[in-house]
C-alpha cells in the first residue's frame, strides 16, 4: 500500500459483525413493514420481502372508495407493474432489493431497504382536472445484521469479521441528518423553506488506521437516482460547496472536529415548478489516511467576503485535486428529505390586517331617512398571509382605481424579491415606489384580475398580489415560499351619489333599476342545507360544492335565471389556461358526463335562483390549490312559455334531465345547442344577461410525498389488521348514545330512590 497508489474501489455497503462466540445457526428471516398514509385503505397493499427481491401486490381500489386506479398512475420507485396480481383487481410489482429507487439505511442491528409506492393520478379523460389525492405507500424490508450467514446467504452478502474487514480495506460511507447541536441523528426528515439542514458525512473505520473523509461531489434530485432530472449539483470540483456562491445561501462546511466526520450545513430548498416536496441527496465521498501531507478540500464560499474558505482554515488547497497515496471512495445517499412550503394560493384566506387605522372607521350607513350628502370614502383592507411581514404592502383605494406599493423585502427576512416574481393579478409593476426598495402597482378597479362581490351594503373589489419565486440564477431550485396578499376595496352602496360619483357608478333606486332593466347576477357558495351562504371557501377533494346562481330582481317582474356557460381557471380570468368548461351548450352540465362525477343541477325552488352541485376538483400537474369560477348567466321573464334549460347527466342511467322538468330541452347536450330553434334564451322576448365570478375557492389535497413521513407504520400481515377501523362518525354517534344512556340511568336511579324513601301520607 505504501509502494504505490491503491486502486479505487467501487461503492460497497458493509456492516460490522459483532464479536460473539456463538453465532446464530440460521439466518433471521426478513421483516416486512408497509406504511399506509391516512388516505390509503389498509390491506390494499401487500408486500413480501425475500432474500434478494421484494414482491408487492396492489389492489386497484387503493383508496378504498370504489374508484379503481389506472395502472399507469402508480409506480414502485419509478418501475411499472410487471403483471396482474392474484386477482383481476390487483397489480403486481417485483424488483431486486437494489432496484426501483430503493434506499438502503443501516441501524445498529439491521439493514433496511425502503421502497416508495407512488400513486399520482393523472387528468380525467379529456379534462384537465383530477378528483383523488395522490399517495405514497412506504415499504420496508428489514434484515438482521447480528448473525453469521449460511451458504444460502441473503444478498448483499454479509461482511466478514472486523479483522478481515480491516485487512480488505472495505469501508462504509454514510450521510446523516443531525440535530442542531450535532450530538445525535435527527429523528424527523421534515424541514421548511428557510430551515438549515445539518448533514454529517462519515466513514466507518472498523479497525482501520485513522482516516479523514472528504465530500467529492453532491447532487440533489427528486428521485433516488443521481442522474434523475431535474438535478442540482451543490458540491462539485472535488469538494467545493457551490451552493453558497450560486444562490447566496448560508450553506457552508463547518470546522472539522473528528477526522472521520465532515459536517456541512445546507439551506433548505425545493425544485422550482415542482409540486413534489421530497428530495434525495447522493454524495461521492473519499477517505485517506490521516498524515501531515493529507490533501483534500472542503471549501465554502462566503457571499459577504466574496472568497472561499476551507473548513480547516487552509486556503492553499483551493483548485488542487485530491492526490492521495492511500485513497478509498464510495457513494452515500440520504432521503427522502421532505421540504415543505406554504402554498401561495392557500394563504389568501389568512387573517386580515388593517392597512391604516384611519381607513378602518365604521362605514355602516345608519337607517335614516335623509340620504348622505357625500359618498362614504372607500375602505381599504390588506390581508397578510403568515409568512409576509405586515406593512410591507400598502394600498390606497380611490374612486376608480387602486394604488399598491410593495417593499422588495416582502417577507421581512432580508431577501429582496425580484420584480419579475411578483404581479397584481397578472399585472407587472408600473414603476418604483416612494423608495428604491419598493415597487408600485396601479390599476382600474375592474383591471388586473379583480373580482367583484356584492353584500347587502357594499361592493367589494378584491385583488390578489401574487409572489411566485422563480429558480435562483442558473440553478433549478427555490428557497423562499410564495405568497398571496389579498387587497380589498370596499365601497358603500346605501347612499345617494353626487355628481362626483365613484366608479363604477352606484346602482340607482329599485324603481329606477326596474325601469332601466339593470340586473345583478351573483354566484354564492352555500351551506349543505342551502339556508345561508357558506362562510369558508375551503374544500377537500371528495367534497361537494353547493353553488347558487341568482339574479337580484329589484322591483322587476318575476324572472327565471339560467346558467349559460361556466368555466374554472387558476386565475380570475375566464380565458386563462388551463381552463375547464364544466357547463356548456347554453345550460348543459358536462362535468358529470366527462368525469362520471356527482355534479348536478338541483330542482328549482325559486325562479330567481338556480342551484347546482359541483364535485370538488383540482387542476392536474398544478401545485396551486385555488380555483376561480366564472359563469355567464341569463334571465327571462317567468311565463308559461319561458324557455331555457339546466341539464344534468346521470352516469347511471346514461340520460340527461332538466332541473325544470323539461327533459326534451336537453336533447342537444351531446352535440351542440347553438343551432337548436326554440330552446335558446336568445329567442326570448325579454332577456337579460351578465357574468358572475366566484373565488378563490381553495381545494386542498394531501401531498403524496408529505404523507410518507408522517404516516404510521402498519404491519403487512392480515391478522395484524383484525381490529377493524371505526369511522369518526361512528365514534361520535357511540358517544352520544352512551351519554343519553348514562342520563337515563341516573334519572331512573333517582326516581327509584325517591320512591323508596318518600314519606307515607
Amino acid at each position: 500500500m505504501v509502494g504505490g497508489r491503491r486502486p479505487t474501489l467501487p461503492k460497497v455497503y458493509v456492516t460490522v459483525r459483532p464479536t460473539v462466540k456463538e453465532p446464530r445457526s440460521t439466518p433471521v428471516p426478513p421483516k416486512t413493514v408497509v406504511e399506509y398514509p391516512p388516505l390509503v385503505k389498509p390491506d390494499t397493499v401487500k408486500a413480501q420481502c425475500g432474500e434478494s427481491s421484494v414482491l408487492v401486490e396492489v389492489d386497484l381500489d387503493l383508496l378504498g372508495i370504489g374508484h379503481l386506479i389506472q395502472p399507469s398512475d402508480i409506480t414502485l420507485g419509478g418501475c411499472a407493474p410487471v403483471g396482474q396480481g392474484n386477482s383481476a383487481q390487483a397489480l403486481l410489482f417485483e424488483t431486486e432489493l437494489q432496484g426501483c429507487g430503493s434506499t438502503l439505511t443501516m441501524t445498529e442491528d439491521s439493514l433496511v431497504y425502503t421502497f416508495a409506492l407512488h400513486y399520482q393520478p393523472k387528468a380525467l379523460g379529456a379534462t384537465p382536472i383530477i378528483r383523488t389525492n395522490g399517495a405514497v405507500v412506504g415499504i420496508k424490508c428489514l434484515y438482521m445484521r447480528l448473525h453469521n450467514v449460511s451458504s444460502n446467504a441473503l444478498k448483499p452478502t454479509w461482511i466478514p469479521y472486523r479483522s478481515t474487514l480491516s485487512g480488505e480495506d472495505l469501508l462504509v460511507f454514510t450521510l446523516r441528518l443531525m440535530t442542531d447541536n450535532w450530538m445525535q441523528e435527527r429523528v424527523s426528515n421534515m424541514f421548511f423553506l428557510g430551515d438549515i439542514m445539518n448533514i454529517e458525512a462519515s466513514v466507518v473505520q472498523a479497525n482501520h488506521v485513522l482516516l479523514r473523509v472528504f465530500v467529492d461531489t453532491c447532487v440533489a434530485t427528486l428521485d433516488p437516482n443521481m442522474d434523475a432530472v431535474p438535478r442540482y449539483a451543490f458540491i462539485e470540483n472535488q469538494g467545493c460547496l457551490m451552493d453558497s456562491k450560486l444562490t447566496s445561501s448560508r450553506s457552508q462546511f463547518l470546522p472539522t472536529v473528528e477526522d472521520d466526520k465532515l459536517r456541512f450545513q445546507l439551506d433548505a430548498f425545493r425544485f422550482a415548478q415542482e409540486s413534489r416536496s421530497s428530495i434525495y441527496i447522493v454524495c461521492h465521498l473519499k477517505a485517506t489516511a490521516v498524515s501531515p501531507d493529507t490533501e483534500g478540500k472542503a471549501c465554502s464560499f462566503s457571499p459577504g467576503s466574496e472568497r472561499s474558505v476551507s473548513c480547516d482554515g487552509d486556503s492553499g488547497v483551493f483548485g488542487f485535486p485530491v492526490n492521495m497515496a492511500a485513497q478509498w471512495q464510495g457513494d452515500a445517499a440520504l432521503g427522502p428529505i421532505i421540504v415543505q412550503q406554504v402554498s401561495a394560493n392557500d394563504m389568501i384566506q389568512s387573517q386580515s390586517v388593517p392597512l391604516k387605522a384611519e381607513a378602518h372607521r365604521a362605514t355602516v350607513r345608519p337607517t335614516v331617512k335623509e340620504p348622505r350628502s357625500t359618498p362614504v370614502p372607500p375602505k381599504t383592507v390588506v390581508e397578510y398571509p403568515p409568512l409576509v411581514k405586515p406593512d410591507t404592502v400598502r394600498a390606497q383605494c380611490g374612486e376608480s382605481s387602486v394604488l399598491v406599493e410593495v417593499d422588495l423585502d416582502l417577507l421581512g427576512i432580508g431577501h429582496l424579491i425580484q420584480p419579475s416574481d411578483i404581479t397584481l393579478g397578472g399585472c407587472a409593476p408600473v414603476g418604483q415606489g416612494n423608495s428604491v426598495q419598493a415597487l408600485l402597482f396601479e390599476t382600474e378597479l375592474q383591471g388586473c384580475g379583480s373580482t367583484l362581490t356584492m353584500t347587502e351594503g357594499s361592493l367589494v373589489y378584491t385583488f390578489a398580489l401574487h409572489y411566485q419565486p422563480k429558480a435562483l440564477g442558473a440553478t433549478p431550485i427555490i428557497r423562499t415560499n410564495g405568497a398571496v396578499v389579498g387587497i380589498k376595496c370596499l365601497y358603500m352602496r346605501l347612499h345617494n351619489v353626487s355628481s362626483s360619483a365613484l366608479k363604477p357608478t352606484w346602482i340607482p333606486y329599485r324603481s329606477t333599476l326596474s325601469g332601466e332593466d339593470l340586473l345583478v347576477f351573483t354566484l354564492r357558495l352555500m351551506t349543505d342545507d342551502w339556508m345561508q351562504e357558506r362562510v369558508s371557501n375551503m374544500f377537500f377533494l371528495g367534497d361537494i360544492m353547493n353553488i347558487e346562481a341568482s339574479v337580484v330582481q329589484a322591483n322587476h317582474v318575476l324572472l327565471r335565471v339560467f346558467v349559460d356557460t361556466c368555466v374554472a381557471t387558476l386565475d380570475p380570468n375566464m380565458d386563462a389556461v388551463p381552463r375547464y368548461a364544466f357547463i356548456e351548450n347554453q345550460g348543459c352540465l358536462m362535468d358529470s358526463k366527462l368525469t362520471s362525477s356527482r355534479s348536478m343541477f338541483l330542482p328549482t325552488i325559486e325562479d330567481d335562483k338556480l342551484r347546482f352541485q359541483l364535485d370538488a376538483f383540482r387542476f392536474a400537474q398544478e401545485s396551486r390549490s385555488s380555483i376561480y369560477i366564472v359563469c355567464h348567466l341569463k334571465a327571462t321573464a317567468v311565463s308559461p312559455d319561458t324557455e331555457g334549460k339546466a341539464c344534468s347527466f346521470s352516469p347511471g342511467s346514461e340520460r340527461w334531465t332538466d332541473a325544470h322538468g323539461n327533459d326534451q330541452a336537453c336533447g342537444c347536450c351531446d352535440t351542440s345547442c347553438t343551432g337548436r330553434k326554440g330552446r335558446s334564451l336568445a329567442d326570448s322576448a325579454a332577456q337579460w344577461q351578465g357574468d358572475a365570478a366566484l373565488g378563490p375557492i381553495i381545494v386542498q389535497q394531501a401531498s403524496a410525498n408529505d404523507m410518507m413521513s408522517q404516516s404510521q407504520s402498519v404491519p403487512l400481515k392480515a391478522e395484524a389488521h383484525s381490529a377493524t377501523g371505526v369511522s369518526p362518525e361512528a365514534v361520535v354517534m357511540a358517544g352520544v348514545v352512551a351519554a343519553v344512556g348514562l342520563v337515563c340511568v341516573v334519572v331512573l336511579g333517582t326516581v327509584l330512590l325517591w320512591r323508596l324513601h318518600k314519606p307515607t301520607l
Side-chain angles (χ1 to χ4, degrees), residues 141-175:
C141 296
L142 292 82
Y143 298 89
M144 296 300 295
R145 296 171 64 184
L146 307 181
H147 61 84
N148 286 333
V149 180
S150 64
S151 58
N152 58 342
L154 297 176
K155 296 180 181 180
T157 304
W158 305 122
I159 305 305
Y161 289 100
R162 293 170 68 93
S163 59
T164 310
L165 172 66
S166 176
E168 295 185 5
D169 288 336
L170 299 179
L171 304 177
V172 178
F173 293 95
T174 63
L175 290 175

Side-chain angles (χ1 to χ4, degrees), residues 425-725:
C427 298
V430 297
Q432 182 180 300
N434 292 327
S435 71
V436 295
Q437 297 290 313
L439 300 172
L440 185 66
F441 295 86
E442 184 175 10
T443 178
E444 295 293 315
L445 291 176
Q446 299 89 349
C448 291
S450 69
T451 59
L452 172 62
T453 56
M454 285 170 281
T455 66
E456 184 176 355
S458 62
L459 296 182
V460 183
Y461 287 90
T462 303
F463 298 84
L465 188 71
H466 288 265
Y467 168 56
Q468 188 60 48
K470 299 184 179 67
L472 293 165
T475 75
I477 67 169
I478 58 174
R479 277 211 164 88
T480 55
N481 287 289
V484 174
V485 179
I487 299 170
K488 293 183 178 180
C489 296
L490 292 81
Y491 297 89
M492 296 300 296
R493 296 173 62 186
L494 306 180
H495 62 85
N496 287 335
V497 180
S498 66
S499 58
S500 59
L502 297 176
K503 297 179 181 180
T505 303
W506 306 124
I507 304 302
Y509 287 103
R510 294 169 67 92
S511 59
T512 310
L513 172 69
S514 175
E516 295 185 6
D517 287 338
L518 299 179
L519 303 178
V520 179
F521 294 93
T522 62
L523 290 176
R524 296 193 302 165
L525 289 172
M526 303 298 290
T527 55
D528 291 342
D529 59 5
W530 295 90
M531 297 299 291
Q532 56 188 345
E533 189 168 2
R534 193 177 193 266
V535 176
S536 172
N537 65 339
M538 177 79 72
F539 294 89
F540 288 87
L541 288 177
D543 288 347
I544 287 287
M545 297 186 288
N546 294 326
I547 301 176
E548 180 185 87
S550 63
V551 57
V552 177
Q553 300 184 109
N555 289 328
H556 209 286
V557 295
L558 290 179
L559 296 176
R560 177 170 292 174
V561 67
F562 295 95
V563 179
D564 203 49
T565 59
C566 273
V567 299
T569 60
L570 289 169
D571 298 299
N573 175 8
M574 67 185 307
D575 297 320
V577 177
R579 67 192 297 272
Y580 176 44
F582 58 89
I583 297 180
E584 293 187 299
N585 290 338
Q586 300 172 349
C588 301
L589 207 163
M590 307 299 295
D591 181 70
S592 51
K593 182 174 178 66
L594 294 172
T595 68
S596 299
S597 69
R598 298 166 292 178
S599 303
M600 57 164 45
F601 284 108
L602 298 185
T604 299
I605 298 177
E606 300 174 82
D607 285 314
D608 61 338
K609 295 181 177 64
L610 183 62
R611 304 178 305 169
F612 62 94
Q613 294 181 316
L614 192 61
D615 225 339
F617 62 87
R618 287 169 60 102
F619 282 89
Q621 310 300 323
E622 281 287 344
S623 61
R624 288 177 283 178
S625 58
S626 62
I627 61 174
Y628 295 82
I629 292 176
V630 182
C631 298
H632 187 68
L633 309 181
K634 293 182 179 178
T636 184
V638 176
S639 65
D641 60 347
T642 297
E643 294 178 348
K645 61 180 181 290
C647 301
S648 307
F649 181 81
S650 173
S653 62
E654 297 292 318
R655 57 187 293 267
W656 291 90
T657 57
D658 181 55
H660 305 95
N662 184 17
D663 293 351
Q664 292 182 351
C666 305
C668 64
C669 284
D670 286 324
T671 55
S672 174
C673 300
T674 54
R676 186 177 178 88
K677 299 297 183 181
R679 294 300 179 194
S680 171
L681 288 178
D683 299 329
S684 302
Q687 175 202 316
W688 298 263
Q689 55 185 310
D691 292 337
L694 186 63
I697 300 171
I698 309 299
V699 182
Q700 295 279 47
Q701 69 174 351
S703 168
N705 295 283
D706 299 345
M707 289 192 297
M708 184 173 183
S709 64
Q710 51 189 325
S711 61
Q712 56 183 348
S713 296
V714 181
L716 172 69
K717 297 181 180 179
E719 57 267 22
H721 293 279
S722 57
T724 57

Side-chain angles (χ1 to χ4, degrees), residues 4 11 119 130 214 263 338 361 370 388 428 462 480 499 514 536 539 547 600:
K11 170 185 175 182
Y119 168 56
I130 58 174
F214 295 95
R263 303 179 305 170
I338 309 299
R361 299 191 182 99
E370 296 297 327
V388 175
T462 303
T480 55
S499 58
S514 175
S536 172
F539 294 89
I547 301 176
M600 57 164 45

Side-chain angles (χ1 to χ4, degrees), residues 209-224:
V209 295
L210 290 179
L211 296 175
R212 177 169 293 173
V213 67
F214 295 95
V215 180
D216 203 49
T217 59
C218 273
V219 299
T221 60
L222 288 169
D223 298 298

Side-chain angles (χ1 to χ4, degrees), residues 84-95:
Q84 183 178 303
N86 292 328
S87 71
Q89 297 291 312
L91 300 172
L92 184 67
F93 296 85
E94 183 175 11
T95 178

Side-chain angles (χ1 to χ4, degrees), residues 111-158:
L111 294 181
V112 184
Y113 287 89
T114 303
F115 299 84
L117 189 72
H118 288 266
Y119 168 56
Q120 189 60 47
K122 298 184 179 66
L124 294 166
T127 74
I129 67 170
I130 58 174
R131 278 208 165 92
T132 55
N133 287 290
V136 174
V137 179
I139 299 169
K140 292 184 178 180
C141 296
L142 292 82
Y143 298 89
M144 296 300 295
R145 296 171 64 184
L146 307 181
H147 61 84
N148 286 333
V149 180
S150 64
S151 58
N152 58 342
L154 297 176
K155 296 180 181 180
T157 304
W158 305 122

Side-chain angles (χ1 to χ4, degrees), residues 198-437:
N198 294 327
I199 301 176
E200 180 186 86
S202 64
V203 56
V204 177
Q205 301 184 111
N207 287 330
H208 209 286
V209 295
L210 290 179
L211 296 175
R212 177 169 293 173
V213 67
F214 295 95
V215 180
D216 203 49
T217 59
C218 273
V219 299
T221 60
L222 288 169
D223 298 298
N225 175 6
M226 67 185 307
D227 297 320
V229 177
R231 66 193 296 271
Y232 176 44
F234 58 89
I235 297 181
E236 292 186 299
N237 297 335
Q238 299 175 344
C240 299
L241 207 163
M242 307 299 296
D243 182 69
S244 51
K245 182 174 178 64
L246 294 172
T247 67
S248 298
S249 70
R250 299 166 291 176
S251 303
Q252 62 179 338
F253 284 107
L254 297 185
T256 298
V257 177
E258 300 173 82
D259 286 314
D260 61 337
K261 295 181 176 64
L262 183 61
R263 303 179 305 170
F264 62 95
Q265 294 181 313
L266 191 62
D267 228 340
F269 61 86
R270 288 170 58 103
F271 282 90
Q273 310 302 322
E274 280 287 345
S275 60
R276 287 177 285 177
S277 58
S278 62
I279 60 174
Y280 296 83
I281 292 176
V282 182
C283 297
H284 186 68
L285 308 180
K286 291 182 179 178
T288 182
V290 176
S291 65
D293 60 347
T294 297
E295 292 182 350
K297 61 179 185 283
C299 302
S300 309
F301 180 81
S302 175
S305 61
E306 298 294 320
R307 58 187 293 268
S308 295
V309 179
S310 170
C311 67
D312 297 315
D314 181 7
S315 60
V317 300
F318 306 132
F320 288 88
V322 178
N323 184 16
M324 308 170 196
Q327 174 194 318
W328 298 263
Q329 55 185 310
D331 293 339
L334 187 62
I337 300 171
I338 309 299
V339 182
Q340 295 278 47
Q341 71 174 351
V342 180
S343 170
N345 295 278
D346 297 345
M347 291 191 296
I348 195 170
Q349 52 187 326
S350 62
Q351 60 183 351
S352 299
V353 178
L355 174 68
K356 292 181 181 179
E358 60 271 16
H360 289 275
R361 299 191 182 99
T363 54
V364 179
R365 180 178 181 268
T367 55
V368 293
K369 296 182 178 180
E370 296 297 327
R372 294 182 183 269
S373 57
T374 58
V376 177
K379 176 182 175 183
T380 306
V381 175
V382 179
E383 299 172 328
Y384 290 99
L387 295 181
V388 175
K389 180 183 176 183
D391 297 328
T392 55
V393 176
R394 296 167 293 279
Q396 183 60 53
C397 299
E399 291 188 353
S400 60
S401 63
V402 60
L403 286 173
V404 180
E405 187 179 55
V406 181
D407 289 348
L408 290 178
D409 187 9
L410 177 67
L411 307 182
I413 57 177
H415 286 285
L416 303 186
I417 65 175
Q418 296 298 316
S420 59
D421 292 350
I422 190 166
T423 63
L424 182 66
C427 298
V430 297
Q432 182 180 300
N434 292 327
S435 71
V436 295
Q437 297 290 313

